Every structure is written in C-alpha cells, then in structure tokens.
Amino acid sequence: MNEILHRVGVIAPQKDVYAALTTIDGLAGWWTEDTTGDPDGVLEFRFATAGGDGFDMKVLETSPELVRWEVVGGPEEWIGTEVSFELSQVDEFTIVLFKQAGWREPVEFMYHCSTKWATFLMSLKQYVETGKGEPAPNDVLVSNWH
Amino acid sequence: MNEILHRVGVIAPQKDVYAALTTIDGLAGWWTEDTTGDPDGVLEFRFATAGGDGFDMKVLETSPELVRWEVVGGPEEWIGTEVSFELSQVDEFTIVLFKQAGWREPVEFMYHCSTKWATFLMSLKQYVETGKGEPAPNDVLVSNWH
C-alpha cells in the first residue's frame, strides 16, 4: 500500500481548522467551492476543471483531533482509499498531519494528487489564517492535469 | 520502504528544466540560494532557516530524461534515500515526476518534507517559467518547522 503524506501548520486555534474540515462552508473555502452533502454522512466535492467530476467522501470520524473520510465515489484509483487529518496544537500552530492511505499502486496519478493535496493544504492554511483560500475553480495549477 | 511522490508540469522546453536540475545557478534559483559543490560529484545545499544545516547529494545520473541523487549528508532520516526527477515532454509542458525513495519509516518529518518538496517543485516551475523562483531563505513557509 502507498500513502500520500503532508504536514502543515496553521496559525489559528484548533477549533477553526476543525470547522474548516467538518462544515460545508469551511470545506468550500479551501478545497472546492462546489461542496455539498451531509457533514455527518457523505460529502460531495465537484471540480469544474475535471469536467464536473469529483469525489464522494463518507465521513468515518470527526473528533477535534481526527477527521477521517473513506472515498466512496470518484476515480477508480481513489475508491476505497482513506483520507485523514490529524490535528494537534503546538505553540500558536495547529498542526495538520494529512494522509491518503490505501493507494494500490504508485501510479502517475498518485504523483499528481500528492502535489495537488499539498497546494490544497496550503489553501486550507491560508483560508483559516486569512479568511480567503484558493479553492477550485480558482485553485493553483500544477501541470497539464490542472 | 516509503516514498514521497510529486508531479508538476513546467511550461518550458525540457532542456531548461534539465539545466535547473543540473547546474549550480539553476538549483540556486529554486531550492536554496546557498548551493555549492560539483554538479558531476557532490552537491551541497544549505538552509539558513535550519541553522546552516542542509543536504549533500551525490549525483548518480544526469541524462535529459532522468536526474538522480543519493543523499550522502544531512538529517539521519534522509541518509541513503534517493531523490530523482524524471523528465518528459507533453505538449507545451515538461512533466517532472519527482520521487524521494527509501524512507525507512513514515515519521512526522517525512510528512513535513513531502509538503516542502511540493512547494519547492512549484518554485522550480515558477523559476523556469518566469526566471524567478522562491528558493531558501525566501521559501514558502508551511509550518512551525519552516
């Protein structure tokens, strides 16, 4: 199994980062504006740059220290992977340990998703710190795959 | 073994990206201004934010399609890992497949390095496309670990 890992530190209280990961408005502020669904059920993230495709995430756990989702809809490579955000406070930073676990093969798409997750986590940091992130459709472009 | 993977697309000829990976001036333009050493031997990258610490990379291979380094000096977790950049041309993009292979454990420092590599690869893209990257000491800060 292969994992995408990232770590960012957000200069904000942990509860603010938690809200950005567990509410529709929060998620729409840094990942994709087209976020709908049930924060306690299945969340639906859509991306215009991907022709309207996106990801459906079943919320497995939401505690102040850990948010976990299972991918139940989206590209074949993503189905069954688990996305998690582990939160802790260190000085003025809320540390976010991000993981997408369960990639079956380290395909080129995984390389791409790793870089995109990094830019979206920097968008999360910016959103919580300043009120304005860079969610899709105005996300940072990293390559020909957007 | 664990790997950090990334993919960026640089809107520039492949030879320009290759130069940014294989010359002192090029490397200093996107990773760290304090780059010295021998592009055919051992490269020395230093970071003021890390108290002058950094990485020594033994150049294993430099072909237009693949640049490979072995980490021979630096933090214990990095020693013996291999960093590679695979280059190819797709339309107007030079695609860079980045890998740091051989991490013994997915320690928290690996999460951090994954995110930092992403921001430095975006700096590489920006440097080659515009002539100005964001190398250390003016690199993008991602957390309390810089």
Side-chain angles (χ1 to χ4, degrees), chain A residues 5-7 9 108 114-115 142, chain B residues 5-7 9 108 114-115 142:
Chain A
L5 307 175
H6 287 297
R7 181 185 190 276
E108 189 167 345
S114 176
T115 311
V142 305
Chain B
L5 307 175
H6 288 295
R7 181 184 189 277
E108 190 168 343
S114 176
T115 311
V142 305

Side-chain angles (χ1 to χ4, degrees), chain B:
Chain B
M1 289 299 196
N2 303 277
E3 298 176 345
I4 294 172
L5 307 175
H6 288 295
R7 181 184 189 277
V8 297
V10 182
I11 303 175
Q14 191 166 327
K15 70 175 173 48
D16 294 358
V17 179
Y18 179 75
L21 297 172
T22 55
T23 65
I24 298 292
D25 280 357
L27 292 160
W30 65 270
W31 197 16
T32 177
E33 289 180 4
D34 190 350
T35 298
T36 57
D38 176 3
D40 296 312
V42 174
L43 291 163
E44 289 153 23
F45 302 95
R46 294 294 177 274
F47 298 81
T49 45
D53 287 345
F55 313 108
D56 296 336
M57 302 289 196
K58 182 179 172 186
V59 179
L60 299 179
E61 183 169 354
T62 53
S63 78
E65 293 81 31
L66 186 62
V67 173
R68 287 194 304 129
W69 303 331
E70 180 189 343
V71 183
V72 294
E76 186 197 358
E77 298 91 336
W78 276 53
I79 302 287
T81 64
E82 187 176 306
V83 174
S84 61
F85 305 84
E86 195 183 325
L87 307 182
S88 62
Q89 192 81 33
V90 178
D91 302 328
E92 75 273 32
F93 290 88
T94 297
I95 302 300
V96 181
L97 294 183
F98 170 90
K99 186 192 297 186
Q100 183 178 15
W103 284 80
R104 287 172 289 276
E105 298 291 337
V107 291
E108 190 168 343
F109 185 47
M110 183 178 170
Y111 288 66
H112 167 73
C113 293
S114 176
T115 311
K116 284 298 285 192
W117 273 124
T119 61
F120 281 121
L121 290 163
M122 292 302 286
S123 170
L124 166 67
K125 172 175 165 65
Q126 189 181 319
Y127 168 66
V128 176
E129 290 177 355
T130 72
K132 189 165 164 45
E134 295 181 293
N138 300 306
D139 49 323
V140 176
L141 301 185
V142 305
S143 75
N144 58 330
W145 290 355
H146 309 291

Side-chain angles (χ1 to χ4, degrees), chain A residues 16-81:
Chain A
D16 294 359
V17 179
Y18 180 75
L21 297 173
T22 54
T23 65
I24 298 292
D25 280 356
L27 291 160
W30 66 270
W31 196 17
T32 176
E33 290 180 3
D34 191 350
T35 298
T36 56
D38 176 1
D40 297 312
V42 175
L43 292 163
E44 290 154 23
F45 303 94
R46 293 293 178 271
F47 298 79
T49 45
D53 287 345
F55 313 108
D56 295 337
M57 302 290 195
K58 181 178 174 188
V59 179
L60 299 179
E61 182 170 355
T62 52
S63 79
E65 293 80 31
L66 186 61
V67 173
R68 287 194 304 129
W69 303 331
E70 179 189 344
V71 183
V72 294
E76 186 198 356
E77 299 90 334
W78 276 53
I79 302 287
T81 63

Side-chain angles (χ1 to χ4, degrees), chain A residues 3 7-9 11 17 25 34 44 72-73 89 96 106 113 120 126 128 132 135-136 140 146:
Chain A
E3 299 176 344
R7 181 185 190 276
V8 296
I11 302 175
V17 179
D25 280 356
D34 191 350
E44 290 154 23
V72 294
Q89 192 82 31
V96 181
C113 293
F120 281 122
Q126 188 182 319
V128 177
K132 188 163 166 46
V140 175
H146 309 294

